[in-house]
Amino acid sequence: MINGQTVEKPKTVKKGMLDNVLEQFNTAADQIQLNPNVRKILGITNTEIIINFPVRMDNGEVEVFTGYRVQHNNALGPYKGGLRYHPTVDIDAARALAMWMTWKTSLAGLPYGGAKGGIQIDPSKYSKNELERITRRFTYALGENIGPEHDIPAPDVNTNDQTMAWIADTYMSTKNTSERSKNQHVVTGKPVGSGGLEGRDRATGYGVFLTIKFWAEKNNESLEGKKYIVQGFGNVGYWTAHFLEQEGAILVGVQDAFGSLQNKEGIKVEDLFNYGKANNGSIVGFPEAFALEGKDFFALDCDICIPAALGNQITLHNAKSIKAKLIAEGANGPTDVEGEKILLQRGITIIPDIMCNSGGVIGSYFEWLQNRNGELWQMDEILEKLEKKLRNTFKKVIAYSEENEMDMRTAAYCIAIERIEKAYILRGIFP
Ligand SMILES: NC(=O)C1=CN([C@@H]2O[C@H](COP(=O)(O)OP(=O)(O)OC[C@H]3O[C@@H](n4cnc5c(N)ncnc54)[C@H](O)[C@@H]3O)[C@@H](O)[C@H]2O)C=CC1
Ligand SMILES: O=C(O)CCC(=O)C(=O)O
């Protein structure tokens, strides 16, 4: 709403994640009667960078790739958010994902704003050497649009610690020799041993697991014997399942980009992980589970459903068939607005993405601090700090939702947006 009117995206663009994030924002902004000037600012992105850049392939041919970096808001600190390599990356996806980062960092109480980006590419079609050249060329083209005190990328879908190491190395090589080491925190999610943080690899999944555990504690339930399904068996899906299994929960269904599996008796997480590693990252053909039609995945019988892949997976079309009583959003934007309405009407609880998967960016914050202060932190203290931070956020969101009789997503948005509004008002810009 701008001066009483709902903020809308340009009419020509197809409906997708951006519609969802704007609708979620408008709902919360109405609830808190957000200052109209702040509403205007937050309803649109600050900066949008689109770069077409050429790279020579292994066969000598040149291909031109399109890369994006969208910086939504930096009222609370430098822009922060991942880089995704996927065919679905476009300007709208980057806008939506950048907005989610702003709410996520604010809710977590971090000194960051929100950004997101990536390259429109199917990385499975390229060799490791090609991906390295693509990443380095993209970094070089981004130039000073990223920086350790300005905009700090991190891993997302199909990027990892190796990708971050290439970015850090390329960015640092553009600096004078004496300045190079001061720029290591231009990215987080780097390999341990090259500025990375112990535990950043598992931080997102650990956070997803913790929010599920907090929910169980609140309801006086145990995770022992609880059945769960996971969509996406990459960084977030695998680590979430790893920690849930340690707590006695049973994985009964899993889906990745290649196929779906089920086993009512349980799928052993580490066995599946090792199988995937030896099978080009695909779960298909895992001998101790049964293949399943992709369309039947979300209807599997279970207590907890963890979408940990892409956006817009739980929609009008499958929300009615979901059996789980808890959805823990490991992915960004996995539930669209229509799907969410159905789930809430059916009494299903949703732990919203901006809280559920915030362990990743909290881990990134620790890495950034470690690099900035020239420190090396230990795994146990990192996981302890992460748990403390997330528990605090969880309590705040529950209390807000109960006091104001609203779902957890709207409560989380209200808290996040109020913090940004306060920052603008304290600066004295708006009455
Ligand atoms: N890596 C991180 O630290 C964080 C990631 N996230 C979000 O979590 C989600 C997953 O990210 P990562 O695990 O890092 O990515 P990843 O690249 O490590 O794994 C992605 C997984 O999703 C699967 N997948 C892709 N397309 C699919 C489809 N159409 N249907 C079913 N499965 C599909 C892939 O096969 C893979 O198993 C994304 O939404 C990302 O934005 C959120 C917070 C932090
Ligand atoms: O670790 C980060 O900085 C951001 C990770 C990310 O992209 C996300 O939380 O969606």
Side-chain angles (χ1 to χ4, degrees):
M1 199 175 293
I2 297 178
N3 290 340
Q5 291 189 340
T6 299
V7 175
E8 285 172 4
K9 67 175 187 155
K11 288 279 182 283
T12 50
V13 189
K14 71 179 188 299
K15 200 167 158 58
M17 291 194 296
L18 187 56
D19 300 87
N20 291 321
V21 69
L22 283 174
E23 195 164 332
Q24 291 163 351
F25 167 66
N26 282 317
T27 302
D30 287 345
Q31 282 283 345
I32 60 172
Q33 296 178 2
L34 180 64
N35 177 299
N37 292 317
V38 178
R39 194 164 184 150
K40 276 187 218 166
I41 295 170
L42 294 180
I44 197 158
T45 59
N46 282 0
T47 316
E48 301 187 341
I49 300 143
I50 305 181
I51 300 170
N52 297 313
F53 57 98
V55 183
R56 193 171 297 282
M57 299 292 104
D58 291 346
N59 66 4
E61 300 280 315
V62 168
E63 260 189 60
V64 176
F65 296 89
T66 305
Y68 302 85
R69 187 70 181 170
V70 171
Q71 296 162 336
H72 171 237
N73 187 271
N74 61 352
L76 297 174
Y79 299 108
K80 188 85 190 82
L83 286 176
R84 180 176 289 198
Y85 288 4
H86 198 269
T88 59
V89 172
D90 62 14
I91 191 65
D92 266 4
R95 285 170 177 157
L97 290 160
M99 286 190 182
W100 276 314
M101 283 310 306
T102 302
W103 319 141
K104 194 184 302 186
T105 53
S106 175
L107 178 68
L110 302 178
Y112 289 140
K116 202 86 169 203
I119 304 177
Q120 194 176 79
I121 184 177
D122 176 354
S124 67
K125 298 208 162 83
Y126 297 88
S127 70
K128 189 172 175 191
N129 283 336
E130 287 171 334
L131 289 171
E132 175 172 357
R133 289 199 294 278
I134 292 164
T135 301
R136 289 185 182 278
R137 196 70 168 79
F138 180 43
T139 308
Y140 193 72
L142 280 169
E144 291 307 313
N145 288 299
I146 58 170
E149 305 294 328
H150 171 52
D151 182 354
I152 307 125
D156 193 79
V157 175
N158 292 330
T159 58
N160 55 26
D161 57 347
Q162 175 64 83
T163 325
M164 297 306 117
W166 290 330
I167 297 175
D169 185 63
T170 308
Y171 183 82
M172 285 158 71
S173 73
T174 65
K175 305 288 162 203
N176 293 334
T177 324
S178 62
E179 294 294 309
R180 279 184 196 156
S181 58
K182 289 189 206 151
N183 285 276
Q184 201 177 32
H185 54 302
V186 62
V187 281
T188 56
K190 298 180 291 293
V192 176
S194 184
L197 180 87
E198 296 259 5
R200 173 60 186 89
D201 55 353
R202 67 210 63 190
T204 310
Y206 186 56
V208 175
F209 155 72
L210 285 175
T211 61
I212 296 171
K213 196 172 94 164
F214 299 155
W215 167 83
E217 283 169 6
K218 184 182 179 307
N219 291 288
N220 293 320
E221 288 188 31
S222 158
L223 292 179
E224 176 92 42
K226 286 268 182 309
K227 294 187 171 176
Y228 68 98
I229 59 173
V230 180
Q231 187 195 43
F233 202 64
N235 176 277
V236 181
Y238 161 66
W239 281 109
T240 304
H242 168 92
F243 289 110
L244 280 169
E245 184 170 75
Q246 284 185 354
E247 203 79 3
I250 304 165
L251 176 65
V252 293
V254 55
Q255 182 178 65
D256 72 1
F258 310 99
S260 311
L261 300 173
Q262 64 148 330
N263 188 343
K264 287 183 191 136
E265 305 306 319
I267 297 169
K268 290 206 178 91
V269 173
E270 301 310 318
D271 289 354
L272 181 62
F273 178 71
N274 289 328
Y275 176 86
K277 255 201 329 202
N279 194 34
N280 287 327
S282 161
I283 59 169
V284 172
F286 180 63
E288 282 146 50
F290 308 95
L292 172 79
E293 283 278 325
K295 64 175 177 41
D296 300 329
F297 176 74
F298 281 112
L300 281 174
D301 195 22
C302 62
D303 303 296
I304 305 164
C305 166
I306 305 158
L310 301 178
N312 283 350
Q313 299 300 300
I314 300 177
T315 66
L316 188 62
H317 304 293
N318 57 12
K320 285 195 191 107
S321 63
I322 285 181
K323 308 278 191 314
K325 60 180 176 187
L326 178 72
I327 311 283
E329 293 186 330
N332 287 302
T335 313
D336 76 4
V337 171
E338 278 93 14
E340 174 153 29
K341 277 183 198 146
I342 295 170
L343 295 177
L344 294 178
Q345 275 160 11
R346 293 182 55 215
I348 295 170
T349 303
I350 304 168
I351 305 178
D353 47 9
I354 63 167
M355 173 165 69
C356 191
N357 69 37
S358 64
V361 73
I362 295 171
S364 279
Y365 172 56
F366 295 158
E367 179 172 328
W368 187 72
L369 284 180
Q370 180 189 262
N371 295 160
R372 251 179 148 206
N373 299 336
E375 293 173 3
L376 285 176
W377 298 12
Q378 305 300 312
M379 179 79 89
D380 51 353
E381 59 170 322
I382 291 161
L383 296 185
E384 204 182 304
K385 276 182 209 267
L386 177 56
E387 174 161 359
K388 199 169 160 201
K389 244 184 164 330
L390 211 45
R391 191 182 284 280
N392 187 22
T393 304
F394 188 86
K395 275 193 196 150
K396 271 199 227 161
V397 171
I398 291 288
Y400 199 106
S401 74
E402 287 176 354
E403 265 163 40
N404 297 286
E405 296 179 352
M406 55 175 65
D407 60 275
M408 267 202 261
R409 188 185 317 279
T410 310
Y413 266 64
C414 289
I415 297 169
I417 295 166
E418 276 173 349
R419 182 172 168 229
I420 304 169
E421 179 185 41
K422 189 172 169 198
Y424 275 114
I425 288 168
L426 286 173
R427 283 188 198 177
I429 309 178
F430 308 125

